[in-house]
Amino acid sequence: MPEQSPLDLAEGDPFGPHNLPYGVFSTADEPGRRRLGVRIGGHVLDAGAAAHTLGSPYAALLAQPSLNPLLAAGRTAWRDVRRALTAWVTVPAHRADIEPLLHPLDSVTLHLPYEVADYVDFYASEHHATNVGKIFRPDGDALTPNWKHLPIGYHGRAGTVVVSGTDVVRPSGQRKTPADAAPVFGPSVKLDIEAEVGFLVGTPTELGTPMPLGDFREHVFGLSLLNDWSARDIQAWEYVPLGPFLGKSFATSVSAWVTPLEALDAARTAPPARDFDLLPYLDDSGEDEPGGFDVRITVAINGHVISEPPFATMYWTAAQQLAHMTVNGASLRTGDLFGSGTVSGPEVHMRGSLLELTWNGRDILELPEGKRTFLEDGDVVTMTAWAPGPDGTRVGLGEVTGRIVPSTG
């Protein structure tokens, strides 16, 4: 019996030809050579080698150590390359050329697939924002007066965006509880997660030129899972009056795989209903396609599922976030990354942070290896997700995982 081809995938494989996410990998025999790859099932296709072998006009673009050149090439190139890749892994006549260029996933090292230009993070889940408001302002309004008028965000640190699998060092900093007479310095004792979706910008814009809602697909290449690690005790002491700083900037983990927007056409969904009119630049009621994405996220600590946040519940869409981010004339750059903000749903088991799940440490989270309120050294956090695909398939998003290691400060 002939050996089964790596291209003969099991029915329902979430990383089939309908998906084809992009990443960057290296092999054991050439560890210093990074290559652009595309995931198909349990293998990685060397995209540059395939393009060269099959005479693609995009061969030079795909023979790069980073996604950035493809990102900058624009939407026409994105569509052409995706069509070609789909043919290469599905047309039987290409198998003899493609199969030798496939590498088992467990035999390669995955790297951060793009060079991050700027990093912005938002606060777009009404459920999350309401929970946080109730925790910290129990006697006041849960939402701030501006929350339903604009997507609130902050500028993060691009240099500490790391690929899935990178250890996260417990950050140190100042913290002060109401009972403390003065601030103290030391490792964070309220280290948290934030389950998010990150969006990757390809085509840049000129300084001074806002990006309208309808241009979202022209500038955003794809999305991936993102974990915005948060030191809640450091954040609580530092954030007034300018917002997050050291409590966020120590690490942000992203998936090694970027799923192109075209793979998620079947997952587009309408955002939650709004109870008042938005300003024109944020009003998406007349757009041709719904702005939300039906992405189902699962969060696990040490292999134990603690939450299943639904991205479809997000109040502000990625298109609205990008429109707001540029409405003042701020330019986009190739490799810009913006996070959705913590994804939380209406039920307790849908909350995307330990801050909410434990109500800032009041409630105990029971895990097989012991009780938790926030993360302990040695804990491994893993986020996975899928979205509806064409013809009843599922589109898998690459996982994001990170292990907490002790502070060095």
Side-chain angles (χ1 to χ4, degrees), residues 23-37 44 65 103-113 163-166 256-257:
V24 168
F25 73 100
S26 61
T27 58
D29 58 330
E30 293 184 286
R33 180 186 168 208
R34 297 191 179 188
R35 316 179 207 178
L36 194 60
V44 183
H103 300 265
L105 261 178
D106 58 9
S107 72
V108 304
T109 299
L110 299 175
H111 304 277
L112 188 65
V163 72
S164 174
T166 304
W257 300 104

Side-chain angles (χ1 to χ4, degrees), residues 121-129 147 150-153 196 272 311 313-318 320-321 339-344:
D121 195 41
F122 284 93
Y123 189 51
S125 164
E126 184 175 2
H127 299 291
H128 172 68
W147 198 91
L150 57 86
I152 296 173
E196 303 192 21
F311 192 65
T313 64
M314 298 297 275
Y315 186 89
W316 294 106
T317 70
Q320 289 170 320
Q321 290 169 341
S340 63
T342 305
V343 182
S344 291

Side-chain angles (χ1 to χ4, degrees), residues 199-244:
F199 291 83
L200 181 60
V201 172
T203 311
T205 61
E206 293 185 5
L207 184 65
T209 306
M211 192 214 78
L213 287 169
D215 284 359
F216 177 75
R217 280 187 180 266
E218 298 299 323
H219 295 279
V220 174
F221 176 80
L223 56 77
S224 59
L225 288 178
L226 182 151
N227 186 351
D228 184 32
W229 306 92
S230 301
R232 300 299 185 187
D233 44 357
I234 297 173
Q235 181 183 357
W237 172 235
E238 73 179 1
Y239 86 101
V240 178
L242 295 181

Side-chain angles (χ1 to χ4, degrees), residues 31-191:
R33 180 186 168 208
R34 297 191 179 188
R35 316 179 207 178
L36 194 60
V38 173
R39 181 170 176 179
I40 177 74
H43 287 74
V44 183
L45 173 65
D46 186 330
H52 174 75
T53 299
L54 295 172
S56 169
Y58 293 102
L61 199 61
L62 297 177
Q64 301 292 330
S66 166
L67 260 178
N68 286 62
L70 178 59
L71 299 178
R75 190 178 178 191
T76 297
W78 306 342
R79 289 184 294 192
D80 289 349
V81 169
R82 180 169 172 78
R83 289 191 191 103
L85 285 166
T86 303
W88 297 347
V89 299
T90 57
V91 175
H94 293 316
R95 285 200 170 192
D97 291 319
I98 293 298
E99 287 178 348
L101 306 178
L102 293 166
H103 300 265
L105 261 178
D106 58 9
S107 72
V108 304
T109 299
L110 299 175
H111 304 277
L112 188 65
Y114 46 89
E115 299 164 24
V116 183
D118 287 312
Y119 169 54
V120 173
D121 195 41
F122 284 93
Y123 189 51
S125 164
E126 184 175 2
H127 299 291
H128 172 68
T130 299
N131 288 335
V132 172
K134 288 179 177 178
I135 290 171
F136 292 111
R137 297 184 298 276
D139 298 324
D141 293 333
L143 296 179
T144 55
N146 60 347
W147 198 91
K148 287 197 173 183
H149 292 275
L150 57 86
I152 296 173
Y154 72 92
H155 284 274
R157 190 174 182 86
T160 52
V161 175
V162 298
V163 72
S164 174
T166 304
D167 285 346
V168 175
V169 178
R170 181 179 297 273
S172 292
Q174 288 193 29
R175 61 181 190 271
K176 181 184 181 300
T177 69
D180 294 330
V184 298
F185 180 88
S188 171
V189 296
K190 287 188 173 182
L191 187 55

